[in-house]
């Protein structure tokens, strides 16, 4: 898209000033991802024609990736407050109160999830790596030490010619960056579906911990205060990355490779330590990560949040390439960079810290009271833009959404009828445990350092990851979840389910769920059916958050996830990925999914009605994606989860597992695999009972069967921990065979 302009500028160094002031043609406007109406708004805001630098700045700030112009109107309807929410959406990350730390210090968890979808499809290693780097900076820029990374990955068909390369590159990028920077990657999710053939999703989440009295925000204040650039030098990588991320893929996909950023995790580690050291002082007024849109977004957001103005001297920006222009410097998305506002007179103190960590440090501007962004270069003003139109007054669209009836007709989800019978539940179980969506992810998570820091208490493979709050007996629990097939079949129910699933998973380890972040991945919002997915999913998410007292404190929107040129389906499935965080008061009481003792009773909490619509069993065994998804009763979700948490707190149960994809029998198989112990089951005699995906359910085991009673909570004994096989009335699957099937997918795919 904007590449030709970038090239012309670079190759006409002697014409920089003339190029700055050159005529803006309709083609140049279109190349910057702006339509005629938006350009008219720019003319009105400026009172004149912009130059190329100014147009580029408007282009990235008004991109979907930065402005959320198609989603803001709906995001405003989401619940974002609670007594324990310290800072909700609007800052780099969300902040919640997590109680006492060592010596009675009041602590906060700071967390967010972000997307790096388009870059990861174009260049999977660097796309995924810089996605991790970017979300780490969002967290530590607020004063938190990152303690855990998570991810949510969606890939296309394993037999797609590019998919093995994409999976290998993404996993290597996540591991390579996270392992080097010294933050454990403790969990996540990975799914496969043909809808992601041409547009994979890479969503990264980071959780950090900070003292509540040492939280930093991004508002630039204080007339004349110095603006400081720290970190790595600015290069030409990632220019127009935000614009690229706000468009679908066309035939020119390979030409977009230069828009992918290049990361350096070792520099990121130095940057974390330097920033945290400076944050321990009183020198910082405001701080902002240079993420999407780089120096542009960071400076605009800081000035806007502080209701101030800003002036930057582009000659002082540290550059690693010769002859860089203001256009390139402002739009570069080079990694490992931060922008700060310091207190007057603290420059040398701060510089000494960054010199010690061998990082660039430069005073490049100051805070003004003009309400404008002004850039100077070689003694000339090359940009003068009022900040209001750039940020707060960016375009806001209430795009048409298809009605529920029209969406249902478009989606063409067939009603559930003529459900086939299962002739061998054991054989079905083996097939399901070997399918891409349920197979062991050990090949993935074994490439991640999950133990660095020494506080990881529960790893991938359980319901939620658990990381100790350092120096205490308390812990954070976290989970990422979404069932895109549910969201496609019924966006509202799918949005509810995604939130409820994280709530269940966090509850299943014994923690109290407190808040969520999200990464809202959808296709082209200009299509009414896609807008119906967005509106429906957000309505479902909002209702679930309100019913569960589980607010949304941060998030990201990624639109235009579709491809017309890569052999994949046009649009991805609607994928509102949810990242939940909760607190476990006593890590010694943490629950796990593994069966514990021979003879323990196995109970299911919740109603089992045998819902097979949109089930993994129906898809994998019979090639059908039919029926409505399972309905989500939010009152039951809350009641059942609260009951399970109490059982864990009272040490009444010794194993707990949420029932999700694949239903009861898959959940029991996972518990058997985690422990090496088998089970003898009763009343699991057909596909609906075995593989139905009814919600609000947990499996628990206990030696105290007489205690398993509670008013209004459906509880049913379904078996006993025993032997070395998963055994029912008409089937028996040895754990060894189950393990072989479970391990086969990635082993055969990656080693075959």
């Amino acid at each position: 898209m904007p590449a030709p302009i970038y090239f012309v500028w670079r190759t006409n160094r002697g014409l920089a000033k003339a190029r700055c002031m050159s005529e803006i043609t309709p083609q140049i406007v279109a190349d910057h991802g702006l339509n005629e109406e938006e350009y008219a708004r720019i003319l009105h805001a400026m009172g004149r024609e912009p130059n190329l630098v100014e147009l580029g700045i408007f282009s990235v700030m008004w991109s979907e990736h930065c402005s959320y112009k198609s989603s803001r109107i709906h995001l405003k309807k989401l619940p974002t407050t609670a007594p324990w929410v310290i800072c909700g959406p609007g800052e780099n990350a969300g902040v919640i109160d997590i109680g006492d730390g060592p010596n009675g210090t009041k602590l906060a968890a700071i967390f967010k999830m972000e997307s790096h979808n388009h870059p990861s499809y174009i260049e999977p290693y660097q796309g995924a790596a810089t996605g991790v780097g970017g979300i780490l900076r969002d967290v530590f820029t607020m004063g938190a030490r990152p303690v855990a990374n998570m991810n949510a990955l969606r890939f296309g068909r394993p037999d797609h010619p590019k998919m093995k390369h994409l999976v290998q590159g993404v996993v290597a990028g996540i591991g390579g960056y996270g392992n080097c920077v010294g933050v454990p990657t403790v969990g996540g999710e990975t799914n496969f579906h043909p809808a992601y053939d041409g547009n994979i999703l890479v969503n990264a989440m980071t959780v950090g911990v900070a003292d509540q009295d040492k939280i930093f925000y991004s508002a630039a204040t204080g007339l004349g205060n110095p603006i400081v650039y720290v970190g790595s030098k600015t290069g030409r990588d990632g220019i127009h990355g935000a614009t690229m991320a706000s468009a679908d893929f066309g035939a020119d996909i390979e030409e977009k490779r230069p828009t992918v950023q290049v990361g350096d995790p070792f520099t990121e580690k130095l940057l974390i330590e330097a920033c945290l050291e400076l944050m321990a002082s009183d020198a910082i007024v405001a701080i902002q990560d240079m993420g999407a849109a780089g120096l542009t977004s960071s400076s605009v957001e800081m000035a806007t949040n502080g209701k101030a103005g800003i002036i930057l001297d582009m000659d002082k920006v540290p550059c690693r390439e010769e002859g860089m222009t203001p256009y390139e410097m402002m739009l570069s998305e080079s990694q490992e960079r931060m922008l700060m506002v310091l207190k007057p007179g603290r420059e040398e103190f701060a510089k000494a810290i960054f010199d010690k960590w061998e990082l660039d440090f430069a005073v490049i501007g100051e805070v003004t009271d003009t309400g404008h962004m002004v850039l100077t270069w070689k003694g000339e003003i090359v940009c003068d833009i009022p900040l209001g139109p750039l940020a707060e007054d960016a375009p806001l669209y209430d795009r048409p959404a298809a009605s529920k009836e029209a969406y249902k007709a478009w989606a063409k989800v067939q009603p559930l009828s003529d459900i086939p019978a299962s002739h061998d539940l054991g054989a079905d179980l083996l097939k399901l445990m070997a399918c891409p969506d349920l197979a062991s992810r050990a090949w993935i998570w074994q490439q991640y350092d999950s133990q660095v820091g020494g506080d990881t208490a529960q790893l991938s493979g359980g319901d939620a990851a658990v990381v100790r709050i350092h120096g205490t007996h308390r812990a954070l629990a976290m989970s990422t979840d979404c069932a895109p097939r549910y969201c496609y079949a019924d966006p509202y129910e799918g949005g509810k389910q995604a939130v409820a699933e994280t709530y269940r998973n966090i509850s299943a380890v014994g923690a109290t769920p407190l808040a969520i972040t999200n990464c809202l991945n959808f296709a082209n919002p200009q299509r009414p059916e896609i807008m119906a997915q967005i509106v429906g999913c957000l309505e479902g998410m909002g209702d679930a958050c309100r019913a569960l007292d589980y607010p949304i404190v941060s998030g990201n929107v990624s639109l235009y996830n579709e491809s017309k040129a890569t052999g994949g389906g046009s649009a991805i499935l609607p994928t509102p990925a949810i990242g939940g965080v909760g607190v476990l008061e006593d890590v010694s009481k943490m629950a796990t999914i593994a069966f514990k003792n021979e003879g323990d009773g196995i109970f299911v909490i919740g109603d089992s009605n045998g819902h097979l619509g949109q089930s993994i069993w129906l898809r994998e065994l019979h090639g059908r994606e039919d029926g409505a998804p399972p309905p989500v009763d939010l009152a039951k979700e809350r009641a059942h989860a609260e009951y399970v948490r109490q059982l864990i707190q009272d040490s009444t149960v010794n194993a707990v597992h949420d029932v999700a994809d694949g239903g009861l029998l898959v959940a029991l198989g996972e518990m058997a695999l985690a422990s090496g112990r088998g089970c003898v089951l009763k009343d699991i005699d057909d596909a609906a009972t075995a593989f139905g995906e009814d919600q609000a359910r947990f499996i628990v085991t206990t030696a105290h069967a007489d205690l398993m009673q509670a008013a209004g909570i459906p509880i049913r004994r379904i078996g006993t921990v025993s032997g070395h096989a998963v055994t029912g009335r008409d089937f028996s699957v040895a754990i060894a065979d189950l393990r072989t099937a479970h391990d086969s997918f990635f082993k055969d795919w990656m080693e075959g």
Side-chain angles (χ1 to χ4, degrees):
M1 288 183 9
I5 299 165
Y6 166 52
F7 180 77
V8 168
W9 189 297
R10 288 175 59 188
T11 55
N12 291 279
R13 309 212 189 275
L15 300 175
K17 182 179 177 182
R19 179 59 61 184
C20 258
M21 307 307 292
S22 65
E23 181 184 0
I24 302 298
T25 67
Q27 185 59 52
I28 290 175
V29 172
D31 287 342
H32 281 74
L34 297 162
N35 61 37
E36 292 182 7
E37 180 186 350
E38 289 169 342
Y39 186 63
R41 293 183 60 164
I42 293 172
L43 293 176
H44 177 76
M46 297 281 291
R48 59 174 172 83
E49 186 179 84
N51 62 42
L52 192 61
V53 177
E54 294 164 336
L55 185 72
I57 288 171
F58 271 105
S59 168
V60 293
M61 290 305 299
W62 284 12
S63 69
E64 200 74 63
H65 192 77
C66 292
S67 74
Y68 297 172
K69 57 190 176 185
S70 296
S71 57
R72 282 203 326 272
I73 194 170
H74 302 288
L75 295 173
K76 292 176 180 179
K77 303 172 186 176
L78 296 172
T80 60
T81 60
W84 52 88
V85 174
I86 297 172
C87 178
E91 276 290 342
N92 287 287
V95 186
I96 60 172
D97 181 350
I98 57 170
D100 293 342
N103 305 315
T105 310
K106 296 296 183 183
L107 297 180
I110 299 179
F111 61 100
K112 189 181 181 184
M113 184 187 286
E114 277 266 10
S115 63
H116 230 220
N117 304 333
H118 285 46
S120 298
Y121 189 89
I122 296 168
E123 213 314 299
Y125 183 93
Q126 288 295 348
T130 52
V132 173
I135 195 63
L136 281 165
R137 289 193 299 279
D138 278 340
V139 168
F140 77 74
T141 192
M142 296 192 71
R145 178 169 291 280
V147 298
N149 286 334
M150 306 261 301
N151 53 74
L153 312 176
R154 318 285 168 181
F155 297 106
R157 293 170 292 131
D159 60 356
H160 186 281
K162 289 191 66 169
M163 210 52 57
K164 184 175 179 179
H165 163 72
L166 290 170
V167 172
Q168 290 173 330
V170 165
V171 172
I174 292 170
Y177 203 100
N179 296 353
C180 292
V181 83
V183 178
T185 300
V186 295
E189 56 173 344
T190 304
N191 296 133
F192 297 84
H193 193 279
Y196 304 102
D197 280 356
N199 198 127
I200 65 173
L201 302 183
V202 176
N203 297 170
M205 176 178 171
T206 293
V207 181
V209 175
D211 292 351
Q212 289 189 18
D213 61 354
K214 286 289 186 179
I215 297 170
F216 292 82
Y217 299 100
S218 61
T221 58
L223 182 63
N225 278 349
I227 296 171
V228 175
Y229 173 121
V230 301
S232 293
K233 289 181 169 60
T234 295
R236 291 189 170 103
D237 55 315
I239 292 177
H240 273 291
T243 308
M244 177 270 293
S246 304
D248 56 15
F249 285 139
D252 62 345
I253 182 174
E254 288 301 318
E255 297 174 14
K256 297 182 179 184
R257 195 172 297 275
T259 63
V260 179
Q261 309 91 331
V262 178
D264 179 355
F266 299 104
T267 299
E268 182 98 338
K269 175 62 175 173
L270 299 178
L271 187 60
I272 291 173
E273 298 303 330
C275 286
L276 291 176
E277 183 174 341
L278 184 60
M279 288 168 170
S281 73
D282 63 349
I284 298 175
V285 174
I287 183 169
Q288 180 77 15
D289 160 47
M290 292 193 214
L295 186 53
T296 291
S297 64
S298 57
S299 56
V300 169
E301 289 167 7
M302 289 179 77
T304 301
N305 292 344
K307 300 184 181 343
I310 193 167
I311 183 168
L312 302 178
D313 184 347
M314 305 309 292
D315 294 310
K316 295 181 178 178
V317 174
C319 295
R320 66 170 182 261
E321 298 185 47
E322 294 288 329
M324 290 192 67
T325 65
Y327 182 95
E328 295 169 325
M329 286 184 257
M330 291 303 293
L331 271 61
S332 167
E333 295 184 9
S334 295
Q335 298 291 286
E336 294 86 42
R337 303 179 299 159
M338 309 287 282
L339 199 65
M340 297 181 181
V341 177
L342 298 182
K343 292 180 178 178
R346 304 291 279 167
E347 296 93 328
E348 290 304 315
F349 170 78
K351 185 177 185 300
I353 292 174
F354 284 88
D355 285 349
K356 181 182 76 172
W357 291 100
E358 299 182 344
L359 295 167
D360 275 279
F361 178 99
V363 179
I364 65 169
E366 65 181 50
V367 179
T368 69
D369 60 359
T370 64
H372 281 231
M373 166 186 272
V374 177
L375 309 179
T376 65
W377 186 53
K378 301 186 184 303
E380 303 269 352
I381 292 176
V382 294
C383 171
D384 187 347
I385 301 177
L387 285 164
L390 272 180
E392 295 176 341
D393 301 332
L396 180 62
Y397 297 127
D398 188 3
R399 299 196 185 277
S403 67
K404 290 182 179 180
E405 293 74 21
Y407 176 78
K408 189 174 181 180
W410 173 84
K412 296 182 174 62
V413 176
Q414 298 300 310
L416 189 60
S417 61
D418 302 321
I419 302 172
S422 174
H423 302 293
D424 189 335
L425 294 179
D428 287 2
L429 175 61
L430 286 170
K431 289 178 182 177
L432 286 178
M433 297 298 281
C435 79
D437 271 8
L438 297 178
S440 169
R441 269 68 177 132
W443 180 88
I444 295 175
W445 53 258
Q446 285 172 357
Q447 297 184 54
Y448 305 152
D449 188 341
S450 59
Q451 300 286 352
V452 62
D455 284 318
T456 306
Q458 186 166 166
L459 306 176
S460 298
D463 282 318
V466 180
V467 177
R468 294 180 191 86
I469 299 170
H470 193 74
T472 77
H473 63 278
R474 305 169 70 243
L476 294 174
M478 56 206 78
S479 177
T480 60
D481 295 285
C482 183
R485 66 190 187 278
Y486 292 175
C487 296
Y488 181 83
D490 186 328
Y492 177 73
E493 288 295 330
K496 286 164 63 180
Q497 194 276 341
V499 172
E501 177 76 3
T502 68
Y503 189 85
R504 284 200 303 273
N505 280 329
I506 291 169
S507 296
V509 300
T512 301
L514 292 178
I516 67 171
T517 183
N518 60 63
C519 196
L520 307 176
N521 308 273
F522 295 92
N524 187 341
Q526 298 173 59
R527 296 165 57 186
E529 62 272 13
I530 302 302
M531 207 62 223
Q533 294 174 347
I534 296 171
V535 172
C537 285
L538 288 176
E539 287 179 350
M541 288 165 52
D543 284 352
C545 289
R546 280 182 281 269
L548 301 173
D549 210 9
Y550 195 34
I552 298 169
V553 297
S554 61
N556 169 245
V557 179
S558 174
L559 304 182
Y560 296 94
N561 288 291
E562 55 185 80
S563 174
K564 300 180 178 66
T566 56
S570 178
I572 65 162
L573 298 180
T575 312
I578 304 296
V581 175
V583 170
L584 180 62
E585 291 298 331
D586 185 351
V587 73
S588 69
K589 293 187 175 183
M590 175 186 71
T592 66
I593 72 170
F595 290 143
K596 301 300 187 298
N597 306 307
E598 186 82 8
D600 282 348
I602 304 172
F603 294 78
V604 59
I605 296 171
D607 298 307
S608 297
N609 297 316
H611 190 100
L612 287 171
Q614 296 300 319
S615 66
I616 295 285
W617 178 83
L618 192 66
R619 187 185 76 191
E620 295 296 326
L621 273 296
H622 302 282
R624 293 167 55 184
E625 297 182 67
D626 298 347
V632 179
D633 186 320
L634 294 168
K636 290 181 179 179
E637 292 282 1
R638 181 164 186 164
H640 298 178
E642 288 176 346
Y643 179 56
V644 167
R645 294 200 299 270
Q646 190 60 54
L647 291 174
I648 297 170
Q649 176 66 28
D650 295 342
S651 302
T652 302
V653 296
N654 52 33
V656 182
H657 195 8
D658 156 56
V659 181
D661 287 351
L664 277 178
L665 202 52
V666 165
L668 290 159
E670 291 167 344
M671 297 175 84
L673 286 172
S675 63
R677 299 179 182 272
C679 54
V680 178
L681 306 170
K682 63 178 185 177
D683 301 328
I684 300 180
D685 301 322
D686 56 25
T689 307
F691 306 116
E693 296 182 5
D694 305 273
Q695 301 293 292
R697 291 191 297 168
F698 299 83
I699 296 171
V700 300
T701 65
T702 180
H704 309 287
D706 58 323
L707 300 180
M708 299 297 297
Q709 302 295 326
I713 304 292
I715 304 171
R716 181 168 59 94
R717 182 162 183 166
I718 58 170
T720 302
V721 176
S722 181
H724 300 285
V726 178
T727 301
R729 187 176 66 179
D730 298 317
F731 66 91
S732 184
V733 179
I735 292 176
D737 294 338
L738 200 62
R739 194 174 307 281
T740 298
H742 199 223
D743 293 345
S744 63
F745 169 68
F746 276 103
K747 182 180 179 181
D748 294 347
W749 191 29
M750 294 300 171
E751 298 177 9

